[in-house]
Amino acid sequence: MIDTDTSGRLTGRLSWALRLEVAVSNRLLAYTPKAETVPPAQWRRIAPVVRSLGFMAVAAGPYGPDAIMTPLTRLVAWVKAQGLPLEPSVILDQSSVERFILVGCRDMTANSRRTCSSQLRRASEALLLDQLGQHAPIRLKATAAPVAPYPPAEVAYWLIWAQSLPTPAQRRNACLLFCLGVGCGLAVEDLVYVQGRDILAGPTGRALVKVHGRRPRTVVCRYAYEELLLAEAAHIPTDAYAFRPDWQDRTSKHIASDWLARYPRIIGRCDSAVLQTQRLRTTWLVELLNAGIPLKVILKASGLGTLHSLSRYLVFLHDVPEAEASDLLRGEAA
């Protein structure tokens, strides 16, 4: 026998769940896409299919109607335009979703396309399992191999190259790219936002670089590159970007590689490898690890969040002779 309090709680929960379901249903039925997303005449033809998929998607999770209806509308409209049958097994097939993201989303910004891709992939996986009993295909993911650091001879080569380019602007861009990479360990997403005011002369001649963005921090430049970095920074206005100040799209992933590609005859080759910003950062990290600098100091300077992020670089560390390893493990006498 259920007591009065328990019965009341159950009734309250059922009532709340029912109200929530009604509210979700009302939002699904009231949804109408913007005209620039799908024209009204086209929407009237596909609305029943979209709403049906919307009900199934919300029931299977993980998104509510406000998040999933617009991506579903775009997907259904694209599937119909391809002349494919408007059936859940076709619309939600992984190949349909993949093709839509690749071809049907070209008018969207990169961020919107990524969001739409994530929403449709997860909704597709949930719906295929919940409604059709199909498991999403297994995604094979290879272990990412880190790029190797530059050996000392190549570091010297690229330093000479950076200081020997024909024009002052070219030399400044090359030296800053080099110093901020191998001297401060900045990734491309870090160095593109460094401005003149962010490169400072600290105590005893050291160079400090303030990093903004996703991983804000202050980095002390390595001794070998601080003089060159400060010399080049002296010519940069405080409110101007240090690297490629004329480049408008600071979010571009190709801001450094595009600039380097302009000088194939000047850059040349060095052991079949061109200059890469990622290898400059790896060189900096491996040098710090080989120097025995405390891991917490390295993590803070690099902007990395966990020790696991450093594990990929272990293959590049120097071997320690057995006698030296034994002395290190033993420690000093008290």
Side-chain angles (χ1 to χ4, degrees):
M1 181 177 180
I2 302 176
D3 61 43
T4 304
D5 290 343
T6 302
S7 177
R9 287 197 298 271
L10 288 174
T11 302
R13 290 173 184 171
L14 289 173
S15 177
W16 178 84
L18 182 60
R19 289 198 302 271
L20 179 61
E21 184 175 347
V22 170
V24 170
S25 298
N26 289 338
R27 289 209 303 274
L28 286 167
L29 292 172
Y31 171 79
T32 301
K34 295 179 180 179
E36 57 266 28
T37 301
V38 174
Q42 186 181 7
W43 167 242
R44 286 193 292 271
R45 291 192 293 270
I46 66 173
V49 177
V50 175
R51 288 194 174 111
S52 176
L53 287 176
F55 276 105
M56 291 191 294
V58 172
Y63 297 108
D66 297 333
I68 200 60
M69 286 299 284
T70 296
L72 279 177
T73 299
R74 293 181 64 102
L75 174 62
V76 173
W78 180 83
V79 169
K80 183 173 178 59
Q82 305 307 302
L84 300 172
L86 296 184
E87 300 174 0
S89 59
V90 175
I91 299 171
L92 300 173
D93 186 80
Q94 291 291 307
S95 61
S96 299
V97 174
E98 296 279 353
R99 184 67 178 165
F100 167 68
I101 297 301
L102 184 65
V103 177
C105 295
R106 291 177 176 173
D107 60 326
M108 300 171 67
T109 64
N111 287 337
S112 297
R113 189 163 56 248
R114 282 193 293 270
T115 301
C116 184
S117 173
S118 175
Q119 291 169 334
L120 286 177
R121 290 179 201 275
R122 292 190 64 191
S124 172
E125 291 171 3
L127 276 167
L128 288 174
L129 180 59
D130 185 66
Q131 300 294 327
L132 306 176
Q134 300 177 12
H135 287 273
I138 297 175
R139 296 178 182 175
L140 301 179
K141 184 177 180 181
T143 303
V147 296
Y150 285 112
E154 289 193 26
V155 172
Y157 169 86
W158 290 120
L159 186 57
I160 294 172
W161 162 81
Q163 298 177 85
S164 61
L165 291 177
T167 70
Q170 290 174 352
R171 289 194 297 273
R172 183 165 302 119
N173 277 321
C175 288
L176 288 168
L177 186 69
F178 193 85
C179 291
L180 293 174
V182 78
C184 303
L186 269 57
V188 172
E189 66 175 282
D190 297 323
L191 69 87
V192 296
Y193 292 109
V194 173
Q195 296 182 316
R197 65 167 64 92
D198 298 321
I199 303 175
L200 311 169
T204 65
R206 67 187 62 181
L208 307 177
V209 179
K210 290 186 177 180
V211 181
H212 306 282
R214 187 165 60 93
R215 301 176 292 193
R217 59 198 186 277
T218 298
V219 183
V220 179
C221 183
R222 299 291 281 172
Y223 174 80
Y225 311 102
E226 62 184 16
E227 184 177 349
L228 178 60
L229 177 60
L230 291 174
E232 294 298 336
H235 302 284
I236 305 170
T238 57
D239 58 347
Y241 289 111
F243 178 70
R244 299 194 73 178
D246 57 334
W247 185 273
Q248 299 299 318
D249 184 9
R250 309 308 293 186
T251 64
S252 172
K253 296 180 180 179
H254 308 292
I255 185 171
S257 58
D258 172 81
W259 183 82
L260 290 168
R262 297 184 179 194
Y263 308 103
R265 290 185 298 275
I266 298 175
I267 293 176
R269 298 273 176 168
C270 186
D271 288 349
S272 301
V274 298
L275 186 63
Q276 299 175 338
T277 53
Q278 190 176 1
R279 288 192 71 184
L280 293 174
R281 175 172 164 85
T282 298
T283 304
W284 176 80
L285 278 167
V286 171
E287 183 178 344
L288 297 185
L289 290 168
N290 277 325
I293 294 175
L295 294 178
K296 289 191 69 173
V297 175
I298 297 176
L299 288 176
K300 185 177 180 180
S302 63
L304 296 174
T306 64
L307 289 175
H308 176 69
S309 305
L310 296 174
S311 62
R312 72 183 71 178
Y313 303 105
L314 293 178
V315 295
F316 304 124
L317 301 188
H318 298 323
D319 289 329
V320 179
E322 187 174 348
E324 182 181 348
S326 179
D327 289 340
L328 290 170
L329 290 171
R330 183 188 182 199
E332 298 181 359

